[in-house]
Amino acid sequence: MSKAKIATFAVLGLAGLALVAALPVGVLVGAAAFGAYLYTRRAAAALFPLALGVGLALAFWCAADLLNTLKHLGGARPAVPLDVAGWLTMDVLDPANRAARAGLILGALGGAVLALAGGRKAMKMHGPGVVQGRPVVEGGWADDKHLADLCEFGPPKEGKNGGGIVLGRVDGRIVRLPIGKKGMACHTAVFGSSGSGKTFGFVYPNIISAVYDGASIVLSDPKGELLAGKYNKQGEYEPGIAEFLKRHNYDILVFNLKNPASGSNGWNPIMEAQNDGEFRQVCEAMIQCAGKESPFFAGGETNLFTALCGLVRYNSQFRDEWRHMRTVFSLLAWPVEALDAEFEREYRAGNLPVYFYEKWNSSKTMFNNFATGVANKVAVMTDGLLAGVLAKHDIDLLQVAKKKTALFCILPTMGDLRPVLTAFYFLMFKRLVNFAEENRGTLPVPVRFILDEFANIGRIPDFNQRVSFDRGLGITYVVIMQALTQFASLYGAADADTILGQMDVRMSLRVNDIKTARYFCEMFGKAKVLETTARRDVTMPWQRATEITKRTESVKEMALMEPPQMLELPFYTATARIPTKRPLFMTTVAFSDLKEYRELPQEPRSISDYAPPVSGDVPVPPIPEAGEDTPDPPDRKRKRSGGGSVSVDDLFSGTPDFD
């Protein structure tokens, strides 16, 4: 070490000793403030020991002065002036100022302890200003100031920009992304494992937000709890959202595929299609999404199913009440000869379009092979009361675009109804887009799809194009899944990436698969943080007790979150990415925290309070015996003179108009 450095250290050491000797209490107070700052890295922490120390000093001085006054009652009160400079020393002082000095020491030390404890508590693992427990130097998670120019704050409310997509809480404030702001459609993809709080912390708040936006809502309600509420594990009733919607003048429609006995509106896919091309698309989508198998059998089953649906739709001999999926299933039990004669007659009479006639001819030679596969896929759609739901037809897919409507699709947990759901959503999307284009490019009433368990709906044809091109039409898609692997398996990796790339909001609650965790962590990127490292030489045994830990600080780049940390997210937390902003680390908005929850009636409700009853009486045409002509409808027969019966052709002339 050079002589200059030795001299410098000597001067500083002597000056320090002199300062301690002259103002020992002042040095103590300053050290407490400086230590609090070094530990917490917050300037406010340094002020805490100072403020508490001065406050206690004044309080102690006042108390001592009061005691001094009481001792001299009846006599002249001696003046006890404040000696603030003396508080910082160890000089001899009068009792009042000695008490003040004691208060200053106790307050400074107590303030430092509280600042250090508060600093430990405040240093969380993730959030604005913190990345993996380290202070942020550059980048990191978004705070409310960073989001202010794009987002709105506070719970959903009536009025302009009172709705939008409810994301969560950042710095304790509810953050919403308004739909249409800066051209955003706010299509949203949400991932979260079962039990992560998607329904209570995301779906319910976003239903309320959609109502304040004046939008119709199409909801997939896997358990029927969104509509009518449920009983929790404690046996207490938790209300659904239906009464809130009714109070805001919403029509409620229920498409109940889980428990039709509770009631349901009806939707008949065979009667919904408006032209041959649309009809063909629906038939192919329904059979192909029902399961994966060899291309040969998948193609044969598609051909047979499409041909049978066409025959049910266009057969001039069939009564209108026979035109439904239950009849398609029944036709599989007909003798092949009877079916072939039916196709031949209807095609030659000009009733059956050639496309369906060709499909039949390509599949009839292996009818028995393909019929089993079709029967397995169609059977679940034709069981009991479910057949009645798909036989009646009182759901108008365009109602949601014409008046405020909430359509609840209640899905079963058992059985594969993806063919029905695929056709339902495909045709609804198509109807809305066409209607918007006819209405100067926008829907009279905007429509928000909140589709929980999206992977269970099945692959919706052209959905990647829907998300890309439906922006600005008044349609917002919110899809909710458990894992990215579900999505990629359903749509294929390329289409899944395309769809996610068109989502303005990509959000994740706690997930259980590493692929989803890795996807989000890579998307969050990195930030520059202040890294503190500690080093202590413990080579010799006595150094463990005597060696002073040396701490060094450096700036390093660090990932905002690692995939294993995504798997460990606490309940009621979420992460998200939105356009032009840094990633968000949030707590979810509990439905019970909103005033709308507290205003809901607590009387138990059921699905039957909102849905019409379903009839299990689903008529089908009689099955002919082998070698017998196609049977006539029971009420449309007349006797031959020699016995038997024949159809009255003039009662069945012409092709019904199903448009």
Side-chain angles (χ1 to χ4, degrees):
M1 184 180 294
S2 65
K3 293 181 179 180
K5 287 185 177 180
I6 293 174
T8 301
F9 283 126
V11 171
L12 291 175
L14 291 173
L17 288 173
L19 186 62
V20 171
L23 302 170
V25 177
V27 172
L28 176 66
V29 173
F34 187 62
Y37 168 74
L38 284 180
Y39 187 78
T40 63
R41 290 292 170 181
R42 292 182 292 123
L47 298 176
F48 201 56
L50 296 176
L52 190 58
V54 172
L56 278 180
L58 292 173
F60 279 30
W61 183 88
C62 290
D65 187 43
L66 179 60
L67 289 174
N68 185 56
T69 301
L70 293 175
K71 287 180 181 179
H72 295 83
L73 286 176
R77 176 187 173 189
V80 182
L82 285 172
D83 187 1
V84 176
W87 297 354
L88 305 179
T89 69
M90 292 302 294
D91 295 344
V92 177
L93 300 174
D94 57 77
N97 282 293
R98 282 203 309 271
R101 182 164 57 197
L104 179 63
I105 294 171
L106 293 175
L109 294 177
V113 171
L114 292 175
L116 297 181
R120 275 198 194 96
K121 186 176 181 180
M123 191 56 69
K124 51 194 175 185
M125 279 296 293
H126 305 287
V130 181
V131 167
Q132 299 197 41
R134 297 160 176 82
V136 172
V137 175
E138 181 181 323
W141 302 102
D143 57 18
D144 53 353
K145 294 180 181 178
H146 178 68
L147 300 169
D149 64 324
L150 185 65
C151 299
E152 298 290 331
F153 298 96
K157 58 186 179 182
E158 296 186 21
K160 185 178 180 182
N161 293 331
I165 301 296
V166 179
L167 300 174
R169 293 182 187 270
V170 175
D171 286 335
R173 304 177 69 187
I174 295 176
V175 180
R176 293 177 286 105
L177 188 62
I179 293 176
K181 193 169 185 178
K182 298 189 177 180
M184 290 188 300
C186 291
H187 299 323
T188 301
V190 180
F191 295 88
S193 61
S194 179
S196 61
K198 300 186 296 292
T199 300
F200 205 70
F202 181 82
V203 174
Y204 274 121
N206 277 283
I207 294 173
I208 292 171
S209 187
V211 169
Y212 290 139
D213 276 338
S216 285
I217 314 166
V218 180
L219 292 149
S220 60
D221 187 0
K223 301 177 183 178
E225 296 173 354
L226 293 175
L227 172 67
K230 66 173 183 176
Y231 287 91
N232 60 26
K233 294 180 179 179
Q234 291 73 39
E236 301 167 338
Y237 174 73
E238 296 177 356
I241 203 70
E243 292 302 313
F244 171 77
L245 294 167
K246 290 178 66 176
R247 193 163 65 243
H248 286 79
N249 301 316
Y250 273 71
D251 285 351
I252 293 179
L253 296 175
V254 180
F255 190 35
N256 185 4
L257 302 179
K258 179 183 180 183
N259 184 17
S262 300
S264 178
N265 295 99
W267 184 75
N268 186 339
I270 289 180
M271 301 304 295
E272 179 66 45
Q274 294 180 348
N275 53 60
D276 292 351
E278 193 171 85
F279 191 69
R280 291 194 297 268
Q281 283 180 297
V282 169
C283 291
E284 292 171 2
M286 288 180 70
I287 202 70
Q288 290 177 8
C289 81
K292 294 182 178 179
E293 50 197 322
S294 70
F296 173 77
F297 281 98
E301 291 170 6
T302 299
N303 289 341
L304 178 58
F305 178 74
T306 304
L308 294 178
C309 287
L311 184 63
V312 171
R313 171 70 179 263
Y314 295 108
N315 194 326
S316 64
Q317 300 279 324
F318 281 4
R319 295 158 51 180
D320 287 347
E321 56 263 36
W322 293 349
R323 304 184 195 281
H324 45 68
M325 292 301 301
R326 182 66 183 82
T327 297
V328 175
F329 184 71
S330 179
L331 291 180
L332 294 170
W334 282 32
V336 178
E337 297 80 5
L339 273 176
D340 191 44
E342 198 78 3
F343 275 99
E344 191 70 28
R345 186 194 68 240
E346 292 300 311
Y347 170 67
R348 298 302 174 189
N351 300 322
L352 184 70
V354 65
Y355 177 82
F356 301 100
Y357 180 70
E358 292 170 342
K359 288 287 186 181
W360 167 251
N361 282 322
S362 67
S363 59
K364 68 180 181 180
T365 55
M366 298 189 66
F367 175 83
N368 292 331
N369 300 79
F370 299 144
T372 301
V374 174
N376 290 336
K377 294 176 174 65
V378 174
V380 70
M381 297 183 278
T382 57
D383 287 343
L385 291 175
L386 187 57
V389 174
L390 300 179
K392 64 177 182 175
H393 197 61
D394 57 3
I395 294 179
D396 178 4
L397 297 184
L398 280 180
Q399 178 178 332
V400 295
K402 297 175 180 178
K403 58 185 303 188
K404 291 192 300 183
T405 303
L407 171 57
F408 291 82
C409 299
I410 301 175
L411 313 179
T413 55
M414 302 295 291
D416 190 354
L417 288 174
R418 286 179 294 173
V420 176
L421 296 170
T422 295
F424 182 80
Y425 285 112
F426 166 67
L427 289 175
M428 176 172 277
F429 295 160
K430 186 173 182 180
R431 296 281 183 274
L432 293 176
V433 171
N434 292 341
F435 188 56
E437 291 174 350
E438 295 169 0
N439 194 59
R440 301 181 180 179
T442 187
L443 296 176
V445 177
V447 180
R448 196 163 307 174
F449 290 88
I450 303 178
L451 305 178
D452 198 2
E453 299 296 343
F454 182 68
N456 292 341
I457 292 173
R459 182 186 175 101
I460 298 172
D462 303 327
F463 186 67
N464 56 333
Q465 298 180 25
R466 294 274 72 83
V467 176
S468 301
F469 299 114
D470 292 357
R471 293 175 174 271
L473 300 180
I475 303 172
T476 299
Y477 301 111
V478 178
V479 298
I480 305 170
M481 292 162 284
Q482 293 190 16
L484 188 63
T485 50
Q486 283 184 317
F487 201 24
S489 176
L490 185 63
Y491 282 92
D495 281 355
D497 287 343
T498 299
I499 294 170
L500 286 176
Q502 295 297 328
M503 295 290 180
D504 292 317
V505 180
R506 284 165 285 180
M507 178 183 295
S508 177
L509 289 82
R510 179 177 54 82
V511 295
N512 289 335
D513 70 299
I514 196 68
K515 186 172 183 179
T516 307
R518 188 177 295 115
Y519 171 81
F520 276 90
C521 289
E522 291 176 355
M523 185 169 55
F524 294 153
K526 299 181 178 181
K528 292 182 178 179
V529 300
L530 192 64
E531 176 80 334
T532 301
T533 57
R535 183 176 62 84
R536 187 171 61 160
D537 188 356
V538 292
T539 304
M540 305 305 291
W542 60 82
Q543 288 179 317
R544 293 183 180 275
T546 60
E547 185 74 12
I548 298 175
T549 301
K550 298 178 178 62
R551 296 182 181 274
T552 59
E553 291 182 347
S554 61
V555 175
K556 67 176 293 186
E557 198 172 59
M558 178 174 287
L560 267 66
M561 189 175 288
E562 296 291 349
Q565 294 173 323
M566 285 286 292
L567 306 180
E568 300 168 359
L569 280 179
F571 289 109
Y572 315 118
T573 58
T575 58
R577 190 82 182 188
I578 63 176
T580 74
K581 297 301 175 184
R582 297 200 299 265
L584 286 76
F585 186 89
M586 307 169 291
T587 56
T588 57
V589 179
F591 182 34
S592 56
D593 289 346
L594 301 178
K595 65 178 181 62
E596 289 80 5
Y597 176 83
R598 296 186 290 273
E599 294 171 356
L600 288 172
Q602 299 300 310
E603 296 81 11
R605 299 287 198 275
S606 64
I607 294 173
S608 59
D609 293 327
Y610 308 102
V614 176
S615 172
D617 183 15
V618 182
V620 296
I623 301 174
E625 296 180 2
E628 181 185 349
D629 291 337
T630 304
D632 295 316
D635 59 345
R636 300 187 182 186
K637 296 179 179 179
R638 68 179 182 185
K639 294 288 182 181
R640 296 177 185 265
S641 58
S645 62
V646 295
S647 60
V648 184
D649 294 336
D650 57 346
L651 293 179
F652 307 106
S653 61
T655 301
D657 181 8
F658 301 110
D659 293 339

